[in-house]
Amino acid sequence: MYEDRIRLAALRDRVMSADEAACLVDDGMVVGMSGFTRAGDAKDMPAALAKRAAQHPMKFTLITGASLGHDSDKTLTEAGVLAKRLPFQVDATLRGAINRGEVMFVDQHLSETVEFLRAGQFGKLDVAVIEAVAITEDGGIVPSSSVGNSASFAILADKVIVEINLAQPLGFEGMHDIWIPGRRPHREPLPIVGVSDRVGSTTVKIDPAKIAAIIITDTPDSASNALPPDAETQQIAGHLIEFFQHEVKRGRLSTTLPAIQSGIGTIANAVLSGFLDSPFEHLTMYSEVLQDSTFELIDAGKMDFASGSSITVSQRMQDQVFGNLERYRDKLVLRPQEVSNHPEVIRRLGLIALNTALEADIYGNVNSTHVGGTHMMNGIGGSGDFARNASMAIFATKSVAKGGKISSIVPMVAHVDHNEHDVDILVTEQGLADLRTLAPRERVKLVIDHCAHPSYRELLRDYYQDALRYGGHTPHALERAFEMHINLRDRGSMLAGQEA
Amino acid sequence: MYEDRIRLAALRDRVMSADEAACLVDDGMVVGMSGFTRAGDAKDMPAALAKRAAQHPMKFTLITGASLGHDSDKTLTEAGVLAKRLPFQVDATLRGAINRGEVMFVDQHLSETVEFLRAGQFGKLDVAVIEAVAITEDGGIVPSSSVGNSASFAILADKVIVEINLAQPLGFEGMHDIWIPGRRPHREPLPIVGVSDRVGSTTVKIDPAKIAAIIITDTPDSASNALPPDAETQQIAGHLIEFFQHEVKRGRLSTTLPAIQSGIGTIANAVLSGFLDSPFEHLTMYSEVLQDSTFELIDAGKMDFASGSSITVSQRMQDQVFGNLERYRDKLVLRPQEVSNHPEVIRRLGLIALNTALEADIYGNVNSTHVGGTHMMNGIGGSGDFARNASMAIFATKSVAKGGKISSIVPMVAHVDHNEHDVDILVTEQGLADLRTLAPRERVKLVIDHCAHPSYRELLRDYYQDALRYGGHTPHALERAFEMHINLRDRGSMLAGQEA
């Protein structure tokens, strides 16, 4: 049975139920689990672990690539098994537990997690749980729709549990490029010099003896929950396309553009879709997650190649792409997230990095993670890997949220994930501010006039005038810096008190 | 004349006075000038430019490697010629003008400036002014005690002015390793895999026809103004040495340690000196600036090799090192700052990055630049290049300043240069907090108990208790977050109101 999926015959007797495999995990352990932006996550083990915990109370540290699908983080949170969770999540239930201080969440640059693991920072990795489409004759693990941290998890873990997912097509085989850096101090350069370069192996090579359990499952990935483009995200895309055209005219960019990184979510997806009706062509991506827009651009002949760590698409696109992987075979590669997010490659290729901001301030500092400065939304993800090392870091957001009660442009962000040094371009549906080469005082007018919603501009200008009393390179009136945030928290709107 | 210094005979007729050369600079230009942490700066041109401006009013953009010596920034500020200045400075007069909004200062990661220039972000570079010890037979420029951005300035500028400095020994020749990345999109890996690797040329190669003027000067570098170690910086060093020993015991570090980067200044210099009486040996540095401590460690046989972009030492050490360059020839290399600070090499080597904080908050966010959140001190320098990409980012500061009126540990830093994602270790004379793998709420107790001064601990604990009312991954009471800063600003002490 499963001869095409478990080709190393000696491993076939390790097939067992998820409930049996779950007994390999115990209290106090460190568990690495596949899954990156809802793609290629282990489908059966999370529920099995929750079930086991009901009989056998335990808490463990759970490390993934990025977010999981199938409400797995909800299931695990409700089971009370998560002592520590990293490096990223998008689950409402888990988010609540994090913000109540019940689950310790380590919000980490996605390129760094496996470096921490290798350095022994979390102790030893006890168990890895990896979704795969197959195990090859030589015991190599063939990942599915994401690589994430799976390869290093399997290499570093004492025991490996493989979830063979029959719902993931065997066509994924050959699409991965598994490159693992050498041990320091003798580490060689990462040899990727173009987005399509293949520099590693197509499978994760480990000692098959470490494979302690194989689970057979047949559950597709959760579909992407990115919303389709709307009027405002289309305006954001429009401003960016216009800006890129302007840069081409000035001779600072070519019409193929540098390779693009695009964060996950509705806005980034919409911006990329905006390239469909643009004069840009032969586009390439060197990104983390490949969303619907990537495949739209490939199908339209606009994009030549896309490198990512996962494929997270809508249900419609899942049917189209996963059912026709052959069609994309020479246009896609999936890499470990430390390679997709590696500062070395990001700087070398001179990426255009496009990520989403929760809020930005008048000087161009960006908060990507903390609602109201206190409550975790999802995590910094790869945005810090990219923004620091890219040749152009773009942050996009709608200028207001909650029907205008929240301005995304504030006097001072209440949490800083990306500081002024790293934020080159800020764009909202109102317009775009090119902050490069500008001192903080030069940035203020651009950010307020181009990016802030009209209903907040006077409030922001008043703040800046008041702040100038104190002088400085970056003027602030500290006693008022969070006035808008406090109004929102206590009175339900950042405009509270302004209506009169 | 100067046959040994200007070996390409055809260039000897370009020798002129600094006043004559200054006429090559005009209003609205962009000027790149050598100089990195007071080393290898142009000695005569700044004063000549100020003199020219008195007759011929002009303003220009001045880009350097990092800080200049000889009060050059003061001279230029007082002459009113600086429209824009980047990427770093340490001058009190210039600082004042920046904080009054008179000079637009672009505070930039030191690895990025030449990338911006290459991308045309500042328009064309009109003039480069480069200190050199010699021009070779083939017109190659031999830099002096720093490389900084000099090589790329010379390559990119329309016209190059060379200051041949007779006070800089010819022994510098051969000590530089000039590597310039290829043009994207076909950039190759930076091939440095060990700190002592030489991968480029020993001179800056440009078309000699671009050399429009040669000035002969005879002025030594300004000596370092780092203070000698004191009781508190020695305590900081002690905590760090103890921590490193602990990491060795746990098998996470070896006694040679990864290569060390060390920021400029008194604290970083003192910490490095602390290695003299430690069990660590065969140390190496991959850093920006090499200070006294580097040479003390080399002389003591503790350090095998040091790679930097400049040598900035005390008067005593200048006499000893510059007079005996032969002795250090096989133990030193000076590189362009985009190589010394390159994310690619920093991540590959897994550097220990040691930088100074102005203040840190209870969650481990660090402010390196803005006094009171508003007033620029020096700039972020290379700290962001290193902290983001290193394997271990350490930030050091004394726990209090101004006789206890300022706490370096605050509820929320009033400006963020390095966020919690990038700050691994925080150390003061009080102790050390290892923040790796910890969620924000887990960090608070460590930072307060280990790093804060006893006179501020209760105040910080009270703040955190209050902040918990609002919950969140990173609890804050926004209305009180800057209370200590405001007390300092308005009442002269962060403890104001606490004495009662």
Side-chain angles (χ1 to χ4, degrees):
Chain A
M1 54 192 243
Y2 311 119
E3 283 81 1
D4 59 334
R5 299 282 191 161
I6 309 173
R7 297 177 206 147
L8 180 59
L11 288 178
R12 288 183 199 136
D13 64 358
R14 308 216 186 136
V15 173
M16 61 182 80
S17 72
D19 289 345
E20 289 171 296
C23 294
L24 295 169
V25 175
D26 217 329
D27 190 53
M29 282 189 170
V30 178
V31 178
M33 223 181 252
S34 69
F36 191 99
T37 58
R38 304 162 67 90
D41 51 334
K43 307 296 190 290
D44 287 358
M45 274 295 283
L49 288 168
K51 193 169 153 199
R52 168 163 158 80
Q55 307 301 322
H56 178 89
M58 59 179 182
K59 276 186 181 288
F60 52 85
T61 292
L62 176 61
I63 313 178
T64 56
S67 56
L68 303 178
H70 299 93
D71 294 332
S72 290
D73 269 322
K74 177 173 188 278
T75 303
L76 292 165
T77 302
E78 287 174 349
V81 298
L82 298 178
K84 187 160 278 192
R85 179 77 175 86
L86 64 148
F88 188 80
Q89 58 77 41
V90 297
D91 182 84
T93 303
L94 173 54
R95 186 181 295 143
I98 289 168
N99 286 322
R100 288 189 302 275
E102 294 162 10
V103 174
M104 293 295 105
F105 177 57
V106 184
D107 178 23
Q108 209 167 41
H109 300 304
L110 295 187
S111 75
E112 291 193 348
T113 304
V114 291
E115 295 278 19
F116 273 83
L117 265 178
R118 276 187 209 113
Q121 288 305 321
F122 292 96
K124 73 182 174 71
L125 185 65
D126 297 290
V127 177
V129 185
I130 309 297
E131 174 171 285
V133 296
I135 298 173
T136 60
E137 290 77 358
D138 62 353
I141 300 171
V142 183
S144 60
S145 49
S146 73
V147 180
N149 286 322
S150 298
S152 285
F153 286 160
I155 290 166
L156 295 170
D158 284 351
K159 292 180 182 172
V160 178
I161 301 170
V162 178
E163 280 200 13
I164 297 281
N165 189 346
L166 305 177
Q168 296 276 27
L170 273 172
F172 276 118
E173 197 168 350
M175 202 168 272
H176 311 95
D177 185 49
I178 310 295
W179 182 91
I180 304 290
R183 286 266 167 187
R184 296 183 184 118
H186 305 293
R187 193 177 275 192
E188 294 295 316
L190 205 177
I192 294 172
V193 296
V195 294
S196 62
D197 288 356
R198 292 182 159 277
V199 297
S201 61
T202 56
T203 66
V204 179
K205 295 185 187 305
I206 59 164
D207 177 1
K210 288 211 303 184
I211 298 180
I214 298 174
I215 301 165
I216 308 294
T217 182
D218 191 4
T219 309
D221 279 345
S222 295
S224 162
N225 48 12
L227 301 171
D230 61 23
E232 287 169 342
T233 58
Q234 281 170 349
Q235 282 166 335
I236 291 173
H239 296 312
L240 274 171
I241 301 287
E242 193 187 318
F243 164 74
F244 290 136
Q245 289 180 287
H246 174 78
E247 290 291 295
V248 170
K249 238 178 248 164
R250 296 196 56 176
R252 302 198 292 208
L253 287 179
S254 76
T255 56
T256 59
L257 297 182
I260 300 166
Q261 173 265 338
S262 162
I264 191 160
T266 304
I267 292 181
N269 189 50
V271 167
L272 271 190
S273 293
F275 279 107
L276 283 169
D277 300 316
S278 79
F280 297 97
E281 46 192 13
H282 300 298
L283 295 170
T284 55
M285 284 186 84
Y286 192 87
S287 197
E288 303 164 305
V289 53
L290 308 180
Q291 301 186 84
D292 279 26
S293 49
T294 300
F295 297 93
E296 292 166 6
L297 288 166
I298 290 176
D299 289 347
K302 283 289 200 181
M303 180 168 285
D304 289 354
F305 199 93
S307 165
S309 192
S310 77
I311 298 175
T312 304
V313 289
S314 65
Q315 190 58 59
R316 181 185 63 78
M317 194 61 89
Q318 214 177 83
D319 298 340
Q320 178 187 320
V321 172
F322 289 17
N324 294 284
L325 283 173
E326 274 311 314
R327 182 170 161 193
Y328 299 100
R329 180 165 293 283
D330 60 346
K331 296 186 172 64
L332 288 184
V333 63
L334 294 178
R335 309 182 189 276
Q337 69 195 69
E338 75 170 320
V339 176
S340 64
N341 290 32
H342 205 294
E344 173 170 347
V345 184
I346 295 167
R347 181 67 60 95
R348 185 178 302 145
L349 298 180
L351 297 190
I352 293 178
L354 170 64
N355 291 285
T356 306
L358 269 184
E359 61 179 8
D361 68 28
I362 56 174
Y363 298 112
N365 299 285
V366 164
N367 173 7
S368 302
T369 55
H370 281 67
V371 176
T374 53
H375 283 61
M376 174 55 57
M377 179 59 100
N378 301 328
I380 192 166
S383 58
D385 291 319
F386 288 101
R388 175 69 46 93
N389 300 306
S391 72
M392 188 191 294
I394 302 168
F395 284 90
T397 178
K398 296 186 182 186
S399 71
V400 289
K402 304 261 182 212
K405 288 178 184 160
I406 298 177
S407 171
S408 305
I409 308 297
V410 293
M412 179 189 265
V413 288
H415 180 89
V416 176
D417 291 291
H418 309 287
N419 55 38
E420 44 136 347
H421 314 283
D422 294 326
V423 180
D424 295 318
I425 309 289
L426 197 60
V427 58
T428 70
E429 83 289 350
Q430 297 294 320
L432 180 147
D434 181 355
L435 305 177
R436 296 173 296 177
T437 77
L438 298 183
R441 287 178 187 234
E442 296 176 294
R443 294 174 161 214
V444 174
K445 193 175 154 49
L446 280 186
V447 172
I448 296 177
D449 291 356
H450 293 199
C451 299
H453 191 273
S455 61
Y456 282 94
R457 287 184 192 158
E458 274 316 301
L459 203 55
L460 295 166
R461 286 184 194 122
D462 283 353
Y463 175 81
Y464 181 60
Q465 283 308 314
D466 192 30
L468 282 173
R469 288 187 297 135
Y470 297 105
H473 179 60
T474 307
H476 270 300
L478 293 182
E479 63 281 9
R480 289 187 54 198
F482 297 139
E483 216 167 56
M484 285 167 57
H485 295 87
I486 293 167
N487 274 336
L488 175 67
R489 187 191 67 194
D490 296 344
R491 302 165 72 187
S493 169
M494 285 189 175
L495 279 173
Q498 297 300 313
E499 299 86 346
Chain B
M1 57 192 243
Y2 310 121
E3 282 82 2
D4 59 332
R5 298 281 191 161
I6 309 174
R7 296 177 208 146
L8 179 58
L11 287 177
R12 288 184 199 136
D13 64 357
R14 307 212 187 139
V15 173
M16 62 182 80
S17 71
D19 289 346
E20 288 171 296
C23 294
L24 295 169
V25 174
D26 217 329
D27 190 52
M29 282 190 170
V30 179
V31 178
M33 221 180 254
S34 68
F36 192 99
T37 57
R38 303 163 69 89
D41 51 335
K43 306 298 191 290
D44 287 358
M45 274 294 284
L49 288 168
K51 195 170 152 198
R52 168 164 158 77
Q55 307 301 322
H56 178 90
M58 58 179 184
K59 276 186 181 289
F60 52 85
T61 292
L62 176 60
I63 312 177
T64 55
S67 57
L68 304 178
H70 299 93
D71 294 331
S72 290
D73 269 322
K74 177 173 189 277
T75 304
L76 293 165
T77 303
E78 288 174 349
V81 298
L82 298 178
K84 189 159 275 192
R85 179 77 176 86
L86 62 147
F88 189 79
Q89 58 76 42
V90 297
D91 182 85
T93 303
L94 173 55
R95 185 181 295 143
I98 290 167
N99 286 322
R100 288 189 302 275
E102 294 163 10
V103 174
M104 292 297 104
F105 177 57
V106 184
D107 178 24
Q108 208 167 42
H109 299 304
L110 295 187
S111 76
E112 291 193 348
T113 304
V114 292
E115 296 278 19
F116 273 83
L117 265 177
R118 275 185 210 116
Q121 289 305 320
F122 292 96
K124 73 183 174 74
L125 185 65
D126 296 290
V127 178
V129 186
I130 308 296
E131 175 171 286
V133 297
I135 299 173
T136 59
E137 289 78 357
D138 62 352
I141 299 171
V142 183
S144 60
S145 48
S146 74
V147 179
N149 285 322
S150 299
S152 284
F153 286 161
I155 290 165
L156 296 169
D158 285 351
K159 293 180 182 172
V160 178
I161 300 170
V162 179
E163 280 200 13
I164 297 282
N165 189 344
L166 306 177
Q168 295 277 28
L170 274 172
F172 275 118
E173 198 167 349
M175 203 169 271
H176 310 96
D177 186 49
I178 311 296
W179 183 91
I180 304 290
R183 285 265 167 186
R184 296 183 184 120
H186 304 294
R187 194 177 273 191
E188 294 294 317
L190 204 178
I192 294 171
V193 296
V195 296
S196 62
D197 288 355
R198 292 182 159 276
V199 298
S201 61
T202 55
T203 67
V204 179
K205 295 184 189 305
I206 59 165
D207 176 1
K210 288 211 304 183
I211 298 179
I214 299 174
I215 301 166
I216 308 295
T217 181
D218 191 3
T219 309
D221 279 346
S222 295
S224 162
N225 48 12
L227 301 171
D230 61 23
E232 286 169 344
T233 58
Q234 281 169 349
Q235 283 167 334
I236 292 172
H239 296 312
L240 273 170
I241 300 288
E242 192 185 318
F243 165 73
F244 290 135
Q245 288 181 290
H246 173 78
E247 290 292 294
V248 171
K249 238 178 248 165
R250 297 195 55 175
R252 301 198 292 208
L253 288 179
S254 75
T255 55
T256 59
L257 298 181
I260 300 166
Q261 173 265 338
S262 162
I264 190 160
T266 303
I267 291 180
N269 189 50
V271 168
L272 270 190
S273 294
F275 279 107
L276 282 168
D277 300 316
S278 79
F280 296 97
E281 46 192 14
H282 300 298
L283 296 169
T284 55
M285 284 186 84
Y286 192 86
S287 197
E288 304 163 305
V289 52
L290 308 180
Q291 300 186 83
D292 279 25
S293 50
T294 301
F295 297 93
E296 291 166 7
L297 288 165
I298 290 175
D299 290 346
K302 282 290 200 182
M303 180 168 285
D304 289 354
F305 199 93
S307 165
S309 192
S310 76
I311 299 175
T312 304
V313 290
S314 65
Q315 191 57 59
R316 182 184 63 76
M317 195 60 89
Q318 215 178 82
D319 299 339
Q320 179 187 321
V321 172
F322 289 17
N324 295 283
L325 283 174
E326 274 310 314
R327 181 170 162 193
Y328 299 100
R329 180 164 292 281
D330 61 345
K331 296 186 172 64
L332 289 184
V333 63
L334 295 178
R335 309 182 190 274
Q337 70 196 68
E338 77 170 321
V339 177
S340 64
N341 289 33
H342 205 294
E344 172 170 350
V345 184
I346 295 167
R347 181 66 61 94
R348 184 178 302 145
L349 299 179
L351 297 190
I352 293 178
L354 170 64
N355 291 284
T356 305
L358 270 185
E359 61 179 9
D361 68 28
I362 56 175
Y363 298 112
N365 299 284
V366 163
N367 172 7
S368 301
T369 55
H370 281 67
V371 177
T374 53
H375 283 61
M376 174 54 57
M377 179 59 102
N378 302 326
I380 194 167
S383 59
D385 292 318
F386 288 101
R388 176 68 45 93
N389 301 305
S391 72
M392 187 192 294
I394 301 167
F395 285 89
T397 178
K398 294 185 181 185
S399 71
V400 288
K402 305 261 182 213
K405 288 177 183 161
I406 299 176
S407 172
S408 305
I409 308 297
V410 293
M412 179 190 267
V413 289
H415 180 90
V416 177
D417 292 290
H418 309 287
N419 55 37
E420 43 135 348
H421 314 283
D422 294 326
V423 179
D424 295 319
I425 309 289
L426 196 61
V427 58
T428 71
E429 84 289 350
Q430 298 293 322
L432 179 147
D434 181 355
L435 305 177
R436 296 174 297 179
T437 77
L438 298 183
R441 287 177 187 234
E442 296 175 294
R443 294 175 161 212
V444 175
K445 192 175 154 49
L446 279 187
V447 172
I448 296 177
D449 292 355
H450 293 199
C451 299
H453 191 274
S455 60
Y456 282 94
R457 286 184 192 159
E458 273 316 304
L459 203 55
L460 295 165
R461 285 184 195 123
D462 283 353
Y463 175 82
Y464 181 61
Q465 283 308 312
D466 191 29
L468 281 172
R469 287 186 298 136
Y470 297 104
H473 179 60
T474 306
H476 271 299
L478 293 182
E479 62 281 7
R480 288 188 55 196
F482 297 138
E483 217 167 54
M484 284 167 58
H485 295 87
I486 293 167
N487 274 335
L488 174 66
R489 187 192 68 193
D490 297 344
R491 302 166 72 188
S493 169
M494 285 188 173
L495 278 174
Q498 297 301 313
E499 300 86 345

